Amino acid sequence: TKHSLEFCMLKRLTPETSKKLIESLGGTKRVSEIFSCSMSSVSQWKKNGIPRGYVFYLSEKFRENEHILGNDVQAFLRPNS
């Protein structure tokens, strides 16, 4: 969609998909522990989208996660396919 394309160009996953992904991984605290960053940083990702590099890392580390396997994340990871 146009909305997804805009976030792709901004190098961030959409906020809606980011929130679902974060929750599926155990929530804000758990994701902050995965990246050794603050919970407020992860909370901002829910509002602004997870940056591309972090999404790539999560897609490798949590390959079986239903949200990683979902169309929104896969399209984000491979925008030209």
Side-chain angles (χ1 to χ4, degrees):
T1 66
K2 181 181 177 190
H3 185 68
S4 295
L5 180 60
E6 290 170 2
F7 276 95
C8 218
M9 293 170 22
L10 293 173
K11 307 287 189 225
R12 290 182 179 269
L13 194 59
T14 63
E16 179 183 351
T17 303
S18 296
K19 185 174 181 179
K20 289 177 185 176
L21 181 55
I22 289 166
E23 294 307 317
S24 76
L25 293 169
T28 303
K29 183 176 183 194
R30 176 70 183 116
V31 173
S32 72
E33 292 168 349
I34 291 168
F35 290 110
S36 298
C37 67
S38 69
M39 288 177 56
S40 63
S41 292
V42 178
S43 292
Q44 285 300 309
W45 294 349
K46 288 180 175 180
K47 295 177 186 172
N48 302 322
I50 302 171
R52 180 176 291 278
Y54 292 92
V55 178
F56 274 108
Y57 176 83
L58 292 171
S59 72
E60 290 297 315
K61 185 165 175 75
F62 301 99
R63 289 181 186 193
E64 302 303 316
N65 180 284
E66 66 180 295
H67 292 287
I68 294 289
L69 296 172
N71 291 336
D72 292 341
V73 174
Q74 291 303 307
F76 177 78
L77 293 172
R78 295 172 190 82
N80 297 323
S81 57

